[in-house]
Amino acid sequence: MSRPFSLFARPARALATRLRTVTPSQPGWVCRNCLRRLPPSQRRLYASPADNADFQSIVDQPAQLVRSGKQHGYGLIVLAIIPVTAFVLGTWQVQRLSWKSDLIARFEDRLVRDPLPLPPQVDPDSVKDFDYRRVYATGTFRHDQEMLIGPRIHDGKDGYLVITPLERRFKGMEGKNTTILVCRGWIPKERAPQSSRPEGLPKGEVTISGLLREPWTKNMFTPDNDPAHGKFYFPDVGQMAQHVGSQPVWIEETMVPDLITAYEREEKGIPIGRPAEVNLRNNHAQYIFTWAEKPGILLV
């Protein structure tokens, strides 16, 4: 009888030894047969969730609809507004693209025409119908009434735009003498004093050719001009014409783009005129694609 008893006693001693070496904070693995022999107080230390008959995994739980049977919040309204807003803005940019393309084509058509002599009297209200029209005029520069608009950047350098009134006299038309404003071009900042650029101050009668331009509109970020102290930040044609007593007519003198000529003019202080071309930006096609992609970008 001692032999069968020793067979059962040895596993029991091994189990007791193992239970003494296993801490409750880190319970070891015990087989199910040995676990049944433990008292209930110790059996709970080695119990797992799967041993509980009432255990239910979260993956076995039925799916629940969020906000089921409730009204939708403001988030859904915002998501619905996004594609509508993008469609409206895209449509508006299509219209702007058509308008800008027609405007540039109209200006380019005026550029290819022969230049016109500027009449003695110009109706300011009709200038918009001749914007970017090439004209020429003869007269004498009033360097004593010169105005500098700045700062203006040209090829990364700081400088000014030189605005000089052109006094025109017409033979046999006494009392018809008029003055217009001529934007002669850009000069570097160090050439602002007239004493530093004698070659840039032509004397006597001159003939200038350029583009007749419509007055600009000042944006909210540009400071106001101070004519009393000779400070001009924006080409306000009406204000500048009243300051020197000329017609509110603005001519931008042009020149053939040439790098060597531009360097020579800059060195001597002779204003660098603009090229005879349309410089309007037309980015509306890019804006159309931007707003077309915007709903998808925002909803992803």
Side-chain angles (χ1 to χ4, degrees):
M1 297 296 295
S2 59
R3 184 177 182 85
F5 176 78
S6 61
L7 292 177
F8 291 102
R10 184 175 300 176
R13 289 196 299 269
L15 176 61
T17 303
R18 182 166 186 175
L19 292 177
R20 287 195 298 269
T21 58
V22 176
T23 61
S25 60
Q26 295 180 349
W29 177 84
V30 179
C31 67
R32 292 183 177 273
N33 294 329
C34 297
L35 191 63
R36 296 192 189 97
R37 302 175 188 176
L38 296 178
S41 59
Q42 294 185 359
R43 191 180 306 171
R44 288 195 296 268
L45 298 175
Y46 304 94
S48 63
D51 297 329
N52 187 359
D54 298 330
F55 173 76
Q56 187 177 14
S57 174
I58 59 174
V59 299
D60 298 330
Q61 295 180 0
Q64 296 181 359
L65 295 178
V66 180
R67 302 185 65 86
S68 176
K70 298 182 180 180
Q71 294 182 354
H72 297 290
Y74 294 103
L76 184 61
I77 299 177
V78 173
L79 292 178
I81 291 176
I82 289 176
V84 175
T85 304
F87 174 78
V88 173
L89 292 175
T91 304
W92 175 62
Q93 290 298 333
V94 170
Q95 297 174 353
R96 293 278 296 177
L97 174 63
S98 177
W99 168 79
K100 183 63 72 66
S101 300
D102 294 341
L103 184 65
I104 293 176
R106 191 182 315 123
F107 289 160
E108 290 179 345
D109 179 68
R110 295 173 184 173
L111 284 175
V112 299
R113 298 184 181 183
D114 295 334
L116 294 174
L118 194 67
Q121 295 290 337
V122 179
D123 183 7
D125 296 333
S126 64
V127 172
K128 63 180 181 180
D129 297 326
F130 294 88
D131 198 11
Y132 278 96
R133 190 68 164 87
R134 292 197 300 161
V135 297
Y136 63 89
T138 302
T140 304
F141 278 128
R142 292 292 305 272
H143 299 294
D144 57 323
Q145 296 181 334
E146 179 184 87
M147 295 168 285
L148 300 180
I149 298 178
R152 287 294 186 273
I153 304 300
H154 178 75
D155 290 340
K157 298 180 181 179
D158 194 8
Y160 300 94
L161 291 177
V162 180
I163 314 302
T164 309
L166 182 69
E167 190 176 60
R168 302 188 296 162
R169 298 182 180 274
F170 301 93
K171 296 180 180 181
M173 299 179 62
E174 287 74 10
K176 296 294 185 180
N177 299 330
T178 58
T179 304
I180 60 174
L181 299 176
V182 179
C183 178
R184 302 183 56 206
W186 178 89
I187 60 172
K189 185 177 182 179
E190 59 273 13
R191 295 290 184 178
Q194 291 187 354
S195 58
S196 64
R197 47 185 171 93
E199 297 185 52
L201 306 173
K203 307 295 182 181
E205 192 174 73
V206 297
T207 299
I208 61 99
S209 61
L211 302 179
L212 181 63
R213 293 303 316 278
E214 184 181 7
W216 294 263
T217 303
K218 185 176 77 71
N219 58 46
M220 60 182 299
F221 302 104
T222 304
D224 295 330
N225 295 334
D226 186 6
H229 296 86
K231 296 182 179 180
F232 297 91
Y233 307 99
F234 178 78
D236 191 330
V237 178
Q239 182 188 55
M240 300 175 76
Q242 184 178 5
H243 179 64
V244 299
S246 70
Q247 287 184 294
V249 178
W250 181 277
I251 305 296
E252 290 186 350
E253 193 171 4
T254 58
M255 59 173 286
V256 178
D258 184 78
L259 188 60
I260 303 300
T261 303
Y263 284 154
E264 293 178 351
R265 284 178 171 245
E266 180 180 348
E267 182 66 25
K268 298 177 181 179
I270 302 175
I272 302 175
R274 57 159 296 170
E277 61 184 18
V278 179
N279 56 1
L280 297 180
R281 293 183 298 178
N282 189 6
N283 298 328
H284 298 288
Q286 179 181 351
Y287 297 152
I288 292 173
F289 288 108
T290 300
W291 288 114
E293 297 174 356
K294 190 65 68 175
I297 295 175
L298 295 176
L299 294 175
V300 170

